[in-house]
Amino acid sequence: MKADDVKQIAVVGVGLMGHGIAQEFALAGYAVHMHARTEASLGTARSHIERNLDYLVDLGRLSRGQADAAPSRLHATTHFEEAVENADVVIESVFEDLDLKRRIFQQLDELCPPHTLLASNTSGLMPSSFASATRRPDKVLVAHYANPPHLIPLVEIVPSPETSPESLSTLCGVLEMVGKRPIVVRREVPGFVLNRLQCALLREALWLVENGVASPRDIDYAISNSIGRRWAVAGIFEVFELPGWDLVKAVAENVFPDLSTSTEVSPVLTDKVESGDLGVRTGKGFYEWTPESADGLRQRIARALVEIERWTDERS
């Protein structure tokens, strides 16, 4: 199967990530079947999609006609077989639980046509773990989106050792056709590329808080007003090409030995979780949150991501 042969997409799980993934495929003209266990979850997904589309119209990224047409391509159902039985590509986006995902892949293998590609939006579980639950390991791989999936163009594609080159090429091609920018992670490693980089930075940020070097607010301020701005337009290797690697090596020789190398989760993070201070969802994390301030953060991120995409459009 080639990318041009793909006509129908199924998204299993329409929570934090799944509804945005479904939205993008619908906007690109695909027939999309969304599956959730309850009608309430599907209703929430529809509301989120409508809100996202309206916001993209307000930001000038979509016309009103494009936004109005997309929901008609979305079919929502609580019946698993109905959602996946005619799909050319399935993207699973349920809770990060290996046993649950393996059960879903086993069901998908039984219900989907032989040609169907089966992809997981896992943040770091190995594609071989899902492939071994099926009789089509050559058609199983990971498609890891970043949040919010309808605004961030990158998708990490992670094949297992048994994924066929054709399956890899087809999924990359389909994603490119909907405007995404896939990268291929060449071998299975926990966390892939994005989460390994994020976790390395988070570990050091938590160490700085734990050891009284800086507050969470000042660390966020430092990132958003310096390296975060550079990284929005140039990657870490590009950025360090500018001063020269001899200077980078001199700095690294001084700093690397003192960086956190702990293999344990920071007690600062553990304490937050144990106290129930989980962030926006509970109204408190390292910051205090109201529904209004949380929505303000989401809108600030969305506006910036749309503006950065405009820069990309102008350069291309």
Side-chain angles (χ1 to χ4, degrees):
M1 181 176 64
K2 306 298 184 185
D4 288 340
D5 300 323
V6 174
K7 306 301 180 187
Q8 184 166 308
I9 308 292
V11 178
V12 177
V14 290
L16 177 66
M17 303 294 286
H19 72 273
I21 295 170
Q23 171 189 316
E24 284 228 308
F25 279 108
L27 275 171
Y30 290 89
V32 182
H33 286 227
M34 304 189 304
H35 174 266
R37 290 179 299 174
T38 68
E39 288 291 347
S41 295
L42 291 173
T44 299
R46 289 191 194 94
S47 296
H48 288 333
I49 289 170
E50 289 174 6
R51 181 192 64 194
N52 292 343
L53 293 171
D54 287 342
Y55 195 55
L56 289 171
V57 171
D58 291 342
L59 291 173
R61 293 304 292 174
L62 293 179
S63 69
R64 186 74 259 173
Q66 288 173 309
D68 290 343
S72 66
R73 303 186 188 105
L74 292 165
H75 177 75
T77 180
T78 58
H79 299 289
F80 192 80
E81 182 174 359
E82 180 184 348
V84 306
E85 62 182 349
N86 295 311
D88 299 307
V89 174
V90 178
I91 298 180
E92 166 272 312
S93 188
V94 303
F95 186 75
E96 199 77 343
D97 179 291
L98 178 58
D99 290 338
L100 172 61
K101 288 177 182 284
R102 280 179 57 84
R103 289 196 299 272
I104 288 173
F105 270 78
Q106 187 174 25
Q107 289 179 281
L108 291 172
D109 187 45
E110 294 170 355
L111 296 173
C112 293
H115 71 272
T116 305
L117 297 184
L118 309 180
S120 175
N121 180 44
T122 176
S123 299
L125 298 172
M126 300 299 96
S128 56
S129 300
F130 313 131
S132 62
T134 75
R135 296 160 296 178
R136 62 179 86 192
D138 59 312
K139 294 180 174 63
V140 175
L141 58 177
V142 161
H144 176 226
Y145 287 71
N147 188 39
H150 61 288
L151 292 174
I152 295 183
L154 186 76
V155 182
E156 292 182 293
I157 306 301
V158 190
S160 82
E162 295 185 82
T163 304
S164 72
E166 181 185 16
S167 296
L168 184 62
S169 175
T170 297
L171 187 58
C172 286
V174 170
L175 289 168
E176 288 169 351
M177 290 168 71
V178 303
K180 307 309 277 187
R181 300 186 190 112
I183 65 166
V184 176
V185 180
R186 297 181 181 181
R187 66 182 181 90
E188 296 182 326
V189 290
F192 316 137
V193 173
L194 292 183
N195 278 328
R196 290 182 77 90
L197 293 173
Q198 286 192 119
C199 285
L201 181 57
L202 176 61
R203 177 171 64 182
E204 189 61 30
L206 289 167
W207 185 92
L208 292 170
V209 172
E210 181 184 344
N211 288 274
V213 176
S215 69
R217 187 177 297 276
D218 283 344
I219 292 169
D220 282 349
Y221 195 79
I223 292 172
S224 62
N225 287 282
S226 62
I227 56 177
R229 296 193 180 196
R230 291 200 300 259
W231 288 345
V233 293
I236 189 167
F237 287 100
E238 287 181 307
V239 165
F240 285 136
E241 291 276 304
L242 293 171
W245 290 103
D246 53 344
L247 177 58
V248 174
K249 179 175 181 290
V251 173
E253 285 172 344
N254 182 51
V255 176
F256 276 19
D258 197 53
L259 292 175
S260 174
T261 58
S262 174
T263 59
E264 302 295 325
V265 174
S266 166
V268 173
L269 180 54
T270 300
D271 289 347
K272 285 291 180 188
V273 173
E274 290 180 350
S275 64
D277 296 334
L278 305 181
V280 166
R281 182 151 44 94
T282 59
K284 182 180 179 183
F286 289 100
Y287 296 87
E288 301 279 345
W289 295 101
T290 65
E292 293 75 22
S293 64
D295 191 55
L297 174 62
R298 293 188 188 98
Q299 291 193 28
R300 175 156 52 94
I301 291 170
R303 285 194 300 269
L305 291 172
V306 167
E307 188 59 34
I308 291 167
E309 188 65 16
R310 286 197 181 101
W311 303 343
T312 304
D313 290 346
E314 290 169 3
R315 291 199 304 267
S316 61

